[in-house]
C-alpha cells in the first residue's frame, strides 16, 4: 500500500514479499528480536561479572598475602586450582555441582520424610519441592537462575586469574614506598590501603586488560551453561530452514550470522583497547614506571 511517497507493507503473508521487504520482515521476527536482546545479555554478563571477578580477585590476593597460614594456603590454593583447570571443564563441572548442591540442601529441609536415595546410579533425584527453580515457575525465573549461576561461575574462574595479577601487582610496588610509610608511623593496615593499593593499579592494569579481553571472548561459554546467548541464536537462526517449518525458508546462513558476531566482538574489543590505553596514561602520571618516565620526558 502506498501513501504519498511512503510505501507500507505487512509481514502477514511472506510469500507475497520479495527483495528488501522480505529481508526486513525476516529480520524483525520474534526470534530475531530475541537474538538482538541476547547482545544485551552478553553486555549485562560483562557488566556484572567484571566487578564480581575483581572482588573475588582482590579477596584471593589479600588471602594469599595474609600472615595467617591457613588463610594464605586457601588464597594460594584457590589461585592454583582454578587457574590449573581448563575453563570449559570447570564451567561444566561447577555449574552442575552447585545446582545439585542447592537442590540437595533444599531437599533435606523441605522433604525430611523422603525415604529414597538421592543418588540412584547416574540419576540425581530430589522431591519436586526441592527443585531449583520449581517446575511451575515462570520462564523468566528459569532464565534468571541460569544466568545467576553463569555469573557466579565466571566470577570464580576469572577471579582466580585476577587474584594472581593483583598479587603480583602488590608485590611490584617499590619497597621504598612501603618503608617510607612505615617510617612515618603508619600501621601495616594503613600502609596497605593508602600506599600499596593506590599504586598497584598501574602494575596490574596490563594483566587486567588482557583478562578483560579473555572474558569478552569467553562469553560464548554461556551457550554451554544453558543460557540462550548470541551463539545459540546464531546457530538457531542461521541453520537451513524449509517451508514446512517456517514462513521464511532459506539455505544455511550460519556463516553470515557468525560473521556478524565476529564484527561485534572485534568492535567491542577495539573500544576496550581505546579505554584501557587512556586509563593506562591516566594512571601513569607521577608513577615511577616506564610509562610514567616516558610521559615526563615528553612533557619536559
Amino acid at each position: 500500500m502506498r501513501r504519498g511517497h511512503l510505501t507500507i507493507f505487512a509481514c502477514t503473508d511472506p510469500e507475497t514479499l520479495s527483495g528488501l521487504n522480505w529481508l526486513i520482515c525476516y529480520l524483525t521476527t520474534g526470534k530475531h528480536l530475541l537474538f538482538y536482546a541476547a547482545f544485551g545479555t552478553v553486555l549485562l554478563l560483562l557488566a556484572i561479572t567484571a566487578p564480581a571477578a575483581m572482588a573475588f580477585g582482590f579477596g584471593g590476593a589479600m588471602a594469599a598475602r595474609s600472615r595467617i597460614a591457613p588463610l594464605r594456603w586457601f588464597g594460594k590454593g584457590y589461585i592454583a586450582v582454578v587457574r590449573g583447570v581448563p575453563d570449559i571443564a570447570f564451567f561444566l563441572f561447577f555449574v552442575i555441582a552447585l545446582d545439585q548442591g542447592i537442590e540437595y540442601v533444599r531437599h533435606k529441609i523441605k522433604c525430611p520424610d523422603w525415604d529414597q536415595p538421592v543418588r540412584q546410579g547416574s540419576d540425581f533425584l530430589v522431591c519436586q519441592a526441592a527443585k531449583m527453580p520449581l517446575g511451575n515457575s515462570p520462564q523468566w525465573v528459569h532464565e534468571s537462575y541460569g544466568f545467576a549461576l553463569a555469573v557466579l561461575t565466571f566470577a570464580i574462574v576469572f577471579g582466580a586469574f585476577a587474584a594472581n595479577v593483583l598479587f603480583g601487582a602488590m608485590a611490584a610496588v617499590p619497597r621504598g614506598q612501603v618503608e617510607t610509610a612505615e617510617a612515618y608511623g603508619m600501621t601495616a593496615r594503613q600502609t596497605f590501603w593508602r600506599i600499596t593499593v593506590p599504586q598497584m593499579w598501574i602494575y596490574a592494569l596490563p594483566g587486567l586488560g588482557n583478562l578483560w579481553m579473555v572474558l569478552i571472548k569467553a562469553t560464548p561459554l554461556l551457550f554451554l551453561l544453558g543460557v540462550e546467548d548470541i551463539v545459540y541464536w546464531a546457530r538457531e537462526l542461521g541453520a537451513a530452514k524449509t517451508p514446512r517449518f517456517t514462513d521464511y525458508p532459506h539455505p544455511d546462513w550460519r556463516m553470515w550470522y557468525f560473521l556478524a558476531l565476529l564484527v561485534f566482538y572485534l568492535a567491542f574489543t577495539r573500544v576496550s583497547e581505546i579505554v584501557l590505553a587512556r586509563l593506562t596514561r591516566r594512571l601513569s602520571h607521577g608513577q615511577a614506571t616506564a610509562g610514567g618516565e616516558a610521559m615526563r620526558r615528553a612533557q619536559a
Side-chain angles (χ1 to χ4, degrees):
M1 180 172 57
R2 182 178 296 273
R3 293 182 180 177
H5 298 288
L6 179 63
T7 301
I8 302 175
F9 57 92
C11 298
T12 55
D13 190 7
E15 295 181 358
T16 63
L17 301 174
S18 61
L20 182 59
N21 294 344
W22 185 94
L23 183 61
I24 293 175
C25 288
Y26 170 71
L27 293 176
T28 54
T29 59
K31 287 187 176 181
H32 275 89
L33 295 180
L34 293 174
F35 175 54
Y36 307 143
F39 285 89
T41 301
V42 171
L43 297 178
L44 180 62
L45 173 76
L46 292 171
I48 298 176
T49 300
M54 284 297 298
F56 274 96
F58 195 79
M62 290 183 63
R65 287 169 50 91
S66 175
R67 297 178 180 178
I68 304 174
L71 189 59
R72 184 172 64 251
W73 298 337
F74 174 79
K76 292 185 175 181
Y78 163 62
I79 296 173
V81 171
V82 178
R83 290 174 64 238
V85 177
D87 290 351
I88 189 171
F90 188 88
F91 272 69
L92 294 176
F93 164 77
F94 181 79
V95 172
I96 295 174
L98 179 61
D99 184 48
Q100 291 186 356
I102 293 174
E103 291 188 348
Y104 180 78
V105 172
R106 287 169 56 85
H107 175 79
K108 289 295 185 181
I109 295 174
K110 293 181 174 293
C111 306
D113 298 331
W114 184 274
D115 58 355
Q116 300 179 18
V118 173
R119 288 287 182 185
Q120 299 183 15
S122 59
D123 296 329
F124 181 81
L125 302 176
V126 295
C127 63
Q128 290 298 320
K131 290 290 184 180
M132 191 65 184
L134 298 176
N136 58 356
S137 298
Q139 181 62 26
W140 69 267
V141 174
H142 290 268
E143 294 176 356
S144 299
Y145 178 72
F147 184 80
L149 289 181
V151 167
L152 179 59
T153 307
F154 270 90
I156 292 175
V157 170
F158 287 92
F161 289 91
N164 190 57
V165 172
L166 294 176
F167 181 83
M170 292 176 185
V173 174
R175 178 61 187 170
Q177 300 281 349
V178 177
E179 292 176 348
T180 301
E182 293 173 348
Y184 272 94
M186 288 187 179
T187 63
R189 182 183 297 273
Q190 290 174 327
T191 301
F192 177 75
W193 287 108
R194 297 182 183 182
I195 305 299
T196 302
V197 172
Q199 295 193 58
M200 75 174 182
W201 297 111
I202 186 59
Y203 302 101
L205 192 58
L208 294 178
N210 288 335
L211 187 58
W212 169 253
M213 296 299 183
V214 175
L215 176 59
I216 294 174
K217 294 193 299 181
T219 52
L221 289 173
L222 280 171
F223 174 65
L224 297 176
L225 303 179
V227 179
E228 295 181 351
D229 69 330
I230 52 180
V231 175
Y232 169 84
W233 286 114
R235 293 182 58 181
E236 171 67 22
L237 296 170
K241 299 293 189 297
T242 63
R244 180 180 178 183
F245 298 103
T246 180
D247 292 332
Y248 301 94
H250 60 76
D252 192 336
W253 285 354
R254 285 176 295 180
M255 181 186 73
W256 302 108
Y257 281 91
F258 282 105
L259 179 61
L261 299 190
L262 174 65
V263 173
F264 166 74
Y265 279 110
L266 286 176
F268 194 64
T269 52
R270 179 54 184 161
V271 171
S272 298
E273 288 176 350
I274 295 173
V275 173
L276 289 170
R278 292 181 177 178
L279 187 58
T280 299
R281 288 195 298 270
R282 182 172 181 177
L283 291 177
S284 295
H285 275 289
Q287 292 291 338
T289 62
E293 291 296 331
M295 292 179 68
R296 281 193 288 273
R297 286 195 297 269
Q299 294 171 358

